[in-house]
Amino acid sequence: MSQISFVNNEASASDAFSRQSAVFDEIYSGNTIINYKRARVREHVLQYLKPEGSILELNSGTGEDAIFFAQQGHYVHATDISTGMQHELRQKAMPYKNRISTEICSFTQLDQLKQRGPYDHIFSNFGGLNCTGELEKVLLSFDSLLKPGGKVTLVIISPFCLWETLLVFKGRFKTAFRRFFSSKGRSAHIEGAYFKCFYYKPSFIINTLQKSFKVLGIEGLCTIVPPSYIEGFAEKHPKAYKFLSSKEDRLKSAWPWKYIGDYFIISLEKNSTHEFHEFTSV
């Protein structure tokens, strides 16, 4: 895709999520597996946060995670390109206005946030970064936004999902193979707005950041537990869900499970000796 196409794709994604913003929480808050995913991601992030840490959140949506981390005593600058999502977030975050700040910002234009940082942690949940075909550009902007020893946690939609591929046995061929041969992205749509979704491997992130970051951990998410779009699974099969979630919690960081989920969670740490660009140029 050309640069103009990438920009247009971000605008289309912004439009899609703005259309959904008013009903987003109503649609997803009662989904057992989505709540399981949120709990898993938060547990992963909390192990790396310092007390009263500063967090830059990308694609913050309606603010569910920003509010959670604020309640834990952290400070969050919650950004999103979607005006609708930012509106919902600001309304919900009013009781936490001393700990949550908001800004409409594309994750491909993070340079404009340098004056607000540096941060202790950069966080992006539930595949928001899959909406850009310029992930390398996004990743390379992290260095100047983080303190030495600062950390990054990203939740990325992976290019292979075991559960999704198994849908071929239900005759859902388009869904089963939609991540295959998707180097140029696959069409996605929300509320009638279409945009492209790009899939990334953990190795892409690791290789892009290897000069100044080290990997702290990788977990699979919805590897043994079904993806949340298999609607009603946990409610219809509570015993099976409980069994599968216990297995995933035990095997989430083991090979091959960490690589074959609907998502993977990856955390990295900036080298403590790697100073900010602004300081090294003086």
Side-chain angles (χ1 to χ4, degrees):
M1 293 177 72
S2 67
Q3 185 66 35
I4 293 176
S5 296
F6 284 134
V7 171
N8 290 340
N9 191 66
E10 284 192 23
S12 297
S14 171
D15 178 41
F17 286 105
S18 287
R19 293 185 188 190
Q20 193 183 60
S21 59
V23 295
F24 184 88
D25 290 338
E26 180 182 345
I27 293 172
Y28 297 112
S29 62
N31 187 302
T32 300
I33 292 179
I34 286 180
N35 290 332
Y36 164 78
K37 292 192 297 185
R38 282 202 185 278
R40 278 276 314 280
V41 172
R42 290 168 178 175
E43 179 184 23
H44 179 102
V45 175
L46 285 173
Q47 67 182 314
Y48 298 123
L49 284 175
K50 59 174 60 177
E52 296 192 331
S54 58
I55 303 170
L56 170 60
E57 184 179 4
L58 312 181
N59 54 272
S60 54
T62 63
E64 288 292 295
D65 293 314
I67 291 170
F68 171 80
F69 289 120
Q71 290 172 337
Q72 305 304 306
H74 303 289
Y75 297 89
V76 185
H77 187 55
T79 67
D80 203 297
I81 194 175
S82 165
T83 55
M85 288 293 189
Q86 280 277 292
H87 174 76
E88 296 297 321
L89 189 159
R90 286 193 292 268
Q91 298 301 310
K92 290 166 60 177
M94 284 297 293
Y96 310 96
K97 59 184 179 181
N98 292 331
R99 290 190 177 270
I100 298 176
S101 55
T102 65
E103 186 169 349
I104 295 173
C105 180
S106 166
F107 34 60
T108 57
Q109 297 177 328
L110 296 179
D111 283 350
Q112 71 187 59
L113 303 179
K114 284 182 180 180
Q115 300 305 314
R116 287 185 169 272
Y119 300 92
D120 295 306
H121 208 107
I122 295 176
F123 170 61
S124 173
N125 203 359
F126 289 167
L129 289 175
N130 291 88
C131 294
T132 181
E134 296 184 282
L135 184 57
E136 181 179 16
K137 177 180 179 180
V138 180
L139 297 173
L140 292 176
S141 69
F142 289 172
D143 193 346
S144 61
L145 292 167
L146 280 172
K147 299 174 184 178
K151 298 173 179 65
V152 176
T153 298
L154 310 175
V155 184
I156 304 291
I157 304 173
S158 65
F160 177 80
C161 172
L162 178 61
W163 268 99
E164 189 165 285
T165 305
L166 291 175
L167 290 176
V168 71
F169 296 109
K170 285 197 167 187
R172 296 174 61 180
F173 299 103
K174 186 175 181 179
T175 301
F177 298 120
R178 64 183 172 184
R179 304 190 197 200
F180 289 68
F181 312 109
S182 58
S183 60
K184 295 184 179 180
R186 290 293 190 189
S187 180
H189 62 91
I190 292 175
E191 302 293 336
Y194 287 80
F195 57 95
K196 280 197 171 184
C197 178
F198 301 84
Y199 302 103
Y200 298 99
K201 297 179 180 179
S203 58
F204 179 88
I205 296 165
I206 295 168
N207 291 338
T208 302
L209 294 177
Q210 62 183 336
K211 289 184 179 180
S212 52
F213 287 80
K214 65 179 180 182
V215 178
L216 295 174
I218 302 173
E219 299 178 12
L221 185 59
C222 285
T223 58
I224 300 174
V225 171
S228 53
Y229 59 78
I230 300 181
E231 295 180 5
F233 179 90
E235 291 74 22
K236 294 175 184 175
H237 311 285
K239 290 183 179 179
Y241 165 71
K242 184 177 180 180
F243 173 78
L244 295 175
S245 60
S246 67
K247 290 295 183 183
E248 179 162 324
D249 290 346
R250 184 166 62 87
L251 297 170
K252 61 190 177 185
S253 299
W255 185 92
W257 305 105
K258 60 183 177 180
Y259 297 124
I260 60 175
D262 191 23
Y263 301 82
F264 61 88
I265 310 169
I266 183 168
S267 285
L268 306 98
E269 180 179 5
K270 179 178 173 178
N271 296 334
S272 58
T273 56
H274 199 78
E275 300 296 338
F276 312 126
H277 292 317
E278 291 90 339
F279 296 164
T280 55
S281 62
V282 175

